[in-house]
Amino acid sequence: MFQIHCPHCGATREEEEFSYAGEAYIARPANPEEASDAEWGDYLFMRKNTRGWFWEQWQHTAGCRKVIAVKRHTGSYEIAGSWTLAEGKEHYLKESEA
Amino acid sequence: MANRYSFWSLFKHGLKHHESWQPAWRSPQPRSRYDVIIIGGGGHGLATAYYLAKNHGVKNVAVLEKGYLGGGNTARNTTIVRSNYLWDESAHLYEHALKLWEGLSQDLNFNVMFSQRGVMNLGHTLQDMRDIERRVNANVLNGIDGVILSPKEIQDIVPLMDISNSTRYPVMGASYQPRGGVARHDAVAWGFARGASEQGVDLIEQCEVTGMIIENGRIKGVHTTQGDIFADRVGCVAAGSTSTLAKMAGVRLPLESHPLQAFVSESMKPCLDTVVMSNAVHGYVSQSDKGELVIGAGIDSYLGYGQRGSPHVIEHTAAAIIELFPSFSRVRLNRQWGGIVDVAPDACPIIGKSPIKGLYFNCGWGTGGFKATPGSGHVFAHTIANDAPHPLNAAFALDRFNTGHLIDEHGAAGVAH
């Protein structure tokens, strides 16, 4: 059972209070009108499914109901930290550049 | 065949104190080139190799397994076999598999202990019952056996079940597929391994694929922990690890790997002679030939490769089983484990070609791959041998996620596979 910190509530709670909301920071096609079927298919369905450190979203369903960003290792299940979506994105983009 | 299993051979070897049996399959060193490489030595991979050799005459085949044969999800499932799926595409595919199951022990000369004890899917709400009626009617139109049972009829088959109105989610009825049942999971892997090896397929264990050799958009071979092995056709049948392989080839797949847990009880006298599943309360149970209750839980919601899940999922499932079978409350559990299942967005497998020429994928079986083992291997072998899908798996191509032709089986697949 994970212990997840909610940056909005400022509290660390058990996994059961949260709902999983999948891979974080999937970029929506910039020009929806011009995106091809393949681009839409990629956006809607294709996933990284990373084995290792992974950015994901959890919703604090039984708390503030806000969606947060969590960085977790999908092999060891270790959690590096959790952030609001905006804060997490800065870390995520910095990591993607490096 | 070195060991043809029969009553006569048992008697003959018995006279020699059973010391003259030969190993069921060879354990060769990998050669540098094959016609076809199958990555993944589980049930589906071994079945693919078996049918490639048997039906298509492609015998220069290697099966590469990073651990040991049948050590992944083949050894970790709850062994349920059924074909009562809603949509035509999946119903035909799973029914094809079920028909192969019915003759599998004879075909392989290996007892896979396929027991057609029936599979019951319970309904607990009016909507459950409407869905069950729709699914059973669809099954019957597709020539698949299925009936709707009333609570009274359920009680006749499973006397231990609490069908009273005093439960939190009373049982309102069920769908029942008498031809469904269970099989011995290890025997399926061993039987296909033996059959494939007998026809010349090399089964190579402790051989992990670490990279793919791709030139001009065409597969040439794979890097492995036992050196480079070359082949013009490579089939990936790696369940939860499929995305890792796809990444090596630069292919994106719509898969998410989740832990799926199951557990077994201590051995008991026979008390349950069918398979009971309930999507609504999240649990499924059968009794193995050893007498253990085999209980399957739902998947953990999060992405994970840890082959373990969260305890609250087990607690949830145990609560559901005890609600259905109050007399099981004092049964002690023996073992618990998790497997990694690769779930596709429409709960249906992906079987077919990839953007890389000569590279094929058979994945996305999610929580219910075991039941399809022979059918999956059969159609995938056809796909690899002919570089074109079998009519039964044409609809399960990867491009359905671009065209939008999804096969939404969440209803029939649900949690309970």
Side-chain angles (χ1 to χ4, degrees):
Chain A
M1 176 105 64
F2 300 151
Q3 303 279 326
I4 300 172
H5 180 79
C6 175
H8 296 286
C9 303
T12 301
R13 295 293 173 82
E14 289 190 337
E15 177 194 333
E16 277 184 291
E17 277 196 19
F18 296 83
S19 306
Y20 192 61
E23 184 179 322
Y25 308 124
I26 300 171
R28 189 179 163 84
N31 296 311
E33 299 297 329
E34 287 154 31
S36 66
D37 285 354
E39 283 167 321
W40 277 117
D42 195 83
Y43 166 69
L44 285 170
F45 299 117
M46 302 301 161
R47 295 293 177 260
K48 285 183 191 152
N49 203 17
T50 311
R51 182 177 207 144
W53 288 108
F54 184 62
W55 284 87
E56 59 192 10
Q57 308 177 110
W58 288 81
Q59 186 183 12
H60 195 185
T61 344
C64 62
R65 299 199 61 78
K66 289 195 173 112
V67 177
I68 61 170
V70 175
K71 186 185 172 189
R72 185 175 63 90
H73 196 285
T74 55
S76 68
Y77 294 175
E78 189 188 342
I79 293 176
S82 45
W83 296 267
T84 63
L85 283 178
E87 285 167 4
K89 191 161 189 179
E90 284 175 27
H91 291 284
Y92 170 78
L93 290 175
K94 222 175 276 172
E95 275 179 23
S96 320
E97 282 167 21
Chain B
M1 192 175 278
N3 295 320
R4 181 85 198 163
Y5 298 150
S6 65
F7 181 76
W8 170 242
S9 71
L10 186 66
F11 174 73
K12 205 171 64 180
H13 286 281
L15 292 178
K16 298 175 192 166
H17 303 281
H18 295 294
E19 285 170 357
S20 51
W21 293 103
Q22 299 298 308
W25 57 83
R26 299 170 292 115
S27 301
Q29 288 299 310
R31 296 202 297 273
S32 65
R33 170 163 280 282
Y34 289 92
D35 290 342
V36 175
I37 290 173
I38 304 293
I39 305 173
H44 288 231
L46 294 166
T48 306
Y50 173 77
Y51 288 114
L52 267 173
K54 185 183 170 225
N55 293 357
H56 304 283
V58 184
K59 294 177 196 267
N60 186 18
V61 177
V63 177
L64 310 183
E65 166 56 46
K66 69 175 174 179
Y68 57 93
L69 298 180
N73 289 351
T74 302
R76 292 165 186 271
N77 62 85
T78 49
T79 77
I80 298 167
V81 177
R82 63 188 175 90
S83 66
N84 53 354
Y85 279 69
L86 175 65
W87 299 106
D88 291 351
E89 294 87 351
S90 36
H92 291 152
L93 181 64
Y94 288 103
E95 178 63 12
H96 175 57
L98 182 52
K99 288 198 172 123
L100 287 171
W101 275 112
E102 285 173 333
L104 198 59
S105 292
Q106 287 74 21
D107 185 29
L108 295 175
N109 179 234
F110 199 100
N111 187 4
V112 297
M113 297 169 76
F114 181 47
S115 160
Q116 293 180 292
R117 59 183 66 182
V119 173
M120 200 180 272
N121 294 83
L122 302 179
H124 300 264
T125 63
L126 272 178
Q127 187 58 45
D128 274 357
M129 292 314 298
R130 290 186 193 114
D131 290 342
I132 282 172
E133 276 177 41
R134 181 184 181 206
R135 184 161 48 74
V136 168
N137 285 331
N139 291 158
V140 171
L141 286 173
N142 273 323
I144 296 168
D145 59 326
V147 286
I148 297 165
L149 301 181
S150 67
K152 173 76 181 53
E153 289 165 319
I154 294 173
Q155 189 85 90
D156 289 343
I157 300 172
V158 188
L160 283 180
M161 197 191 300
D162 183 0
I163 55 152
S164 70
N165 280 325
S166 62
T167 56
R168 172 88 184 266
Y169 300 106
V171 175
M172 296 179 71
S175 72
Y176 188 60
Q177 186 182 22
R179 281 164 65 240
V182 292
R184 168 104 169 91
H185 49 105
D186 289 332
V188 178
W190 297 337
F192 276 121
R194 175 170 167 266
S197 179
E198 178 66 28
Q199 295 179 82
V201 172
D202 281 0
L203 310 175
I204 297 153
E205 296 174 274
Q206 306 294 329
C207 181
E208 183 170 357
V209 171
T210 53
M212 303 227 182
I213 306 164
I214 295 166
E215 286 170 17
N216 302 323
R218 175 172 272 286
I219 191 93
K220 293 289 175 191
V222 292
H223 302 297
T224 78
T225 49
Q226 295 192 28
D228 292 355
I229 305 175
F230 295 91
D232 290 333
R233 294 183 183 191
V234 174
C236 297
V237 203
S241 299
T242 303
S243 292
T244 313
L245 291 173
K247 208 171 173 184
M248 293 172 192
V251 175
R252 267 170 63 83
L253 295 175
L255 299 176
E256 289 203 320
S257 296
H258 292 266
L260 175 67
Q261 301 183 85
F263 42 100
V264 295
S265 76
E266 59 192 342
S267 292
M268 300 185 301
K269 286 189 175 178
C271 62
L272 181 64
D273 62 357
T274 186
V275 182
V276 175
M277 319 175 76
S278 170
N279 281 355
V281 299
H282 277 211
Y284 38 112
V285 59
S286 63
Q287 191 173 21
S288 75
D289 292 327
K290 280 191 288 182
E292 305 152 318
L293 293 176
V294 184
I295 299 170
I299 60 169
D300 278 77
S301 62
Y302 52 80
L303 199 158
Y305 287 90
Q307 293 198 331
R308 64 187 187 278
S310 295
H312 68 88
V313 175
I314 301 174
E315 189 181 358
H316 189 69
T317 297
I321 298 296
I322 291 168
E323 178 90 347
L324 286 173
F325 297 93
S327 54
F328 289 172
S329 65
R330 282 160 293 151
V331 172
R332 286 171 297 186
L333 295 178
N334 242 356
R335 301 190 303 281
Q336 169 271 337
W337 65 89
I340 304 304
V341 297
D342 47 332
V343 180
D346 55 357
C348 275
I350 299 161
I351 318 167
K353 298 159 84 163
S354 77
I356 309 287
K357 285 201 182 83
L359 180 65
Y360 308 86
F361 282 96
N362 183 356
C363 56
W365 289 95
T367 54
F370 179 77
K371 70 171 80 67
T373 304
S376 157
H378 187 269
V379 298
F380 195 47
H382 185 282
T383 306
I384 294 175
N386 299 297
D387 192 34
H390 188 279
L392 284 171
N393 69 316
F396 294 91
L398 180 58
D399 70 0
R400 73 177 188 267
F401 298 98
N402 294 336
T403 61
H405 290 104
L406 304 191
I407 307 157
D408 182 11
E409 274 296 354
H410 285 285
V415 54
H417 248 315

